[in-house]
Amino acid sequence: MKPAPKTAKDLKTEAASLKVQRLNKNTKPRRELIRIIKSSKEINRQIGHATILLFGPSGSGKSSTINHVFNQNHNFATTSDEYSATRNITEYNITNDYPIYDVKDVSLGVIDSPGLSDTAGLQQDACNLVAIKHFFRENVFPNLIFVVVNAGDARFDGTNSHLSNSLKCLQKLELVDKKNPNVVGVITHTGGFGQKKERWILKFKEKRERLKELIQEQLKVMAQVVALENKPVNHELEIDGDYSILPDEKTKQPRNLYMACSKLLNENGDKFGLLAINSAFTGSTQTPEIGCVLIPKDANKEKLGREENKFMKFCQQA
């Protein structure tokens, strides 16, 4: 097995080489892999590497969602319930081999970003936004964007709420694909709705519909919204193998998040993205590796540049 091609040149070279070779049991797996990668390239996704960007207000639970999805009980990503613990843009990579396609190290990068409405102020928000924009190549969309919000956040509602303003900033980054929508809403801390089934269902439905409305208003796309409780033991959720069951007594998490992702990727024809997310949702205990890390400017110590000032102005008007 060998790695997947990661550049347009490598993809073109291998595709041309396979084209002149006779189709047999040795060449068929890689031919299928090239077809899978091309399906994602055609909708402007990165070649040979899938990405999920976690985006949302400070304290929404982005880092704890990473720990939950990757099954990292020792808190691989730094978390805090009270403030934005994430200061850098950090990519956590998990890889898997697929002998069926004669490929090794198929990678998914889950990108943890600093929260907006940051405790450090609007200037730092602007620095964080510029860094997120620089993280992605021009004209390439993340395979998925998780818009993460805390169910108990009082900043949830209102046209000019912190959440609404965060979504406006996400729109400004031009990472949302309107033609092939790549957004999934994630409502965390849903254990706070209580353990009573009927109350939990009602509360989640209210938050889910509101988040759907805000995403449609600000990002101009439809999105599926799922519930997560990243501390299932604290809320005494029933455990079923690799999953825990939410108080509605039927939703298994994080399987619900995987199902939302796979549905969206299938609808987009993003076959490589779908292949890669299987690496993250297998319940593996493998520790993810840190990939690319981008450090935003420190607004308290560094002078803001042209881009930061542009985003600063936008944040003030949002």
Side-chain angles (χ1 to χ4, degrees):
M1 293 188 292
K2 58 183 180 179
K6 296 291 179 69
T7 67
K9 181 180 178 180
D10 290 344
L11 180 63
K12 185 177 180 180
T13 299
E14 182 165 354
S17 174
L18 288 168
K19 189 174 182 180
V20 299
Q21 296 180 48
R22 181 178 297 178
L23 179 63
N24 55 45
K25 65 179 182 179
N26 295 322
T27 59
K28 186 176 180 180
R30 293 293 291 195
R31 282 196 180 193
E32 181 61 18
L33 175 68
I34 296 303
R35 187 183 70 82
I36 287 171
I37 295 174
K38 282 183 174 180
S39 75
S40 299
K41 178 179 179 293
E42 287 171 0
I43 58 171
N44 298 316
R45 305 307 193 251
Q46 187 174 338
I47 295 172
H49 177 68
T51 54
I52 300 175
L53 170 65
L54 282 83
F55 188 92
S58 59
S60 58
K62 297 182 292 296
S63 298
S64 57
T65 296
I66 289 176
N67 291 326
H68 190 180
V69 169
F70 279 136
N71 196 25
Q72 297 300 313
N73 294 322
H74 55 280
N75 287 342
F76 189 77
T78 304
T79 64
S80 172
D81 290 334
E82 298 177 355
Y83 61 91
S84 179
T86 302
R87 294 300 176 187
N88 301 332
I89 298 163
T90 305
E91 180 179 39
Y92 300 99
N93 287 327
I94 190 164
T95 60
N96 208 347
D97 299 338
Y98 290 90
I100 190 173
Y101 300 120
D102 191 26
V103 62
K104 66 177 183 178
D105 298 334
V106 171
S107 61
L108 172 73
V110 177
I111 300 159
D112 196 7
S113 63
L116 296 189
S117 302
D118 190 88
T119 47
L122 280 178
Q123 286 186 325
Q124 191 58 51
D125 278 353
C127 294
N128 294 341
L129 288 166
V130 169
I132 293 171
K133 188 172 180 63
H134 286 177
F135 195 94
F136 291 91
R137 298 177 185 175
E138 191 173 355
N139 300 320
V140 172
F141 296 107
N143 299 74
L144 292 166
I145 299 173
F146 292 170
V147 173
V148 185
V149 299
N150 185 330
D153 195 335
R155 305 172 296 179
F156 199 101
D157 294 316
T159 305
N160 293 314
S161 67
H162 288 289
L163 175 56
S164 182
N165 291 340
S166 293
L167 292 176
K168 291 175 186 176
C169 292
L170 176 56
Q171 173 72 1
K172 182 71 173 175
L173 290 173
E174 298 181 338
L175 296 176
V176 175
D177 187 350
K178 294 181 178 62
K179 186 176 180 181
N180 300 284
N182 54 346
V183 177
V184 175
V186 180
I187 300 178
T188 62
H189 296 83
T190 57
F193 293 152
Q195 295 296 314
K196 292 184 178 180
K197 178 179 177 180
E198 292 76 14
R199 174 182 166 80
W200 189 95
I201 292 172
L202 179 62
K203 288 291 184 180
F204 173 60
K205 182 179 179 181
E206 290 174 355
K207 294 290 186 180
R208 180 189 65 202
E209 295 309 309
R210 182 56 184 144
L211 182 54
K212 281 184 176 181
E213 289 173 4
L214 284 171
I215 289 174
Q216 188 172 7
E217 288 172 9
Q218 303 300 341
L219 304 182
K220 313 303 179 187
V221 295
M222 301 288 289
Q224 191 168 345
V225 175
V226 302
L228 282 184
E229 175 46 65
N230 291 321
K231 297 181 178 179
V233 175
N234 291 10
H235 292 273
E236 300 180 346
L237 299 185
E238 180 184 346
I239 304 300
D240 184 4
D242 291 328
Y243 308 119
S244 52
I245 302 175
L246 292 171
D248 64 353
E249 299 178 3
K250 64 178 182 180
T251 301
K252 295 182 179 181
Q253 61 162 13
R255 184 176 182 272
N256 57 335
L257 181 56
Y258 170 77
M259 296 302 292
C261 293
S262 61
K263 181 177 184 292
L264 185 57
L265 294 169
N266 267 315
E267 289 172 350
N268 289 342
D270 186 357
K271 297 184 184 300
F272 187 81
L274 183 60
L275 182 68
I277 71 163
N278 289 325
S279 301
F281 288 91
T282 55
S284 172
T285 56
Q286 176 185 357
T287 300
E289 295 182 354
I290 295 179
C292 182
V293 177
L294 193 58
I295 303 174
K297 282 186 178 180
D298 186 335
N300 292 322
K301 298 178 180 179
E302 300 176 71
K303 184 179 179 180
L304 270 62
R306 182 179 177 182
E307 281 189 288
E308 285 85 11
N309 280 315
K310 182 179 177 181
F311 272 101
M312 176 66 182
K313 185 177 180 180
F314 179 83
C315 289
Q316 289 172 332
Q317 296 173 346

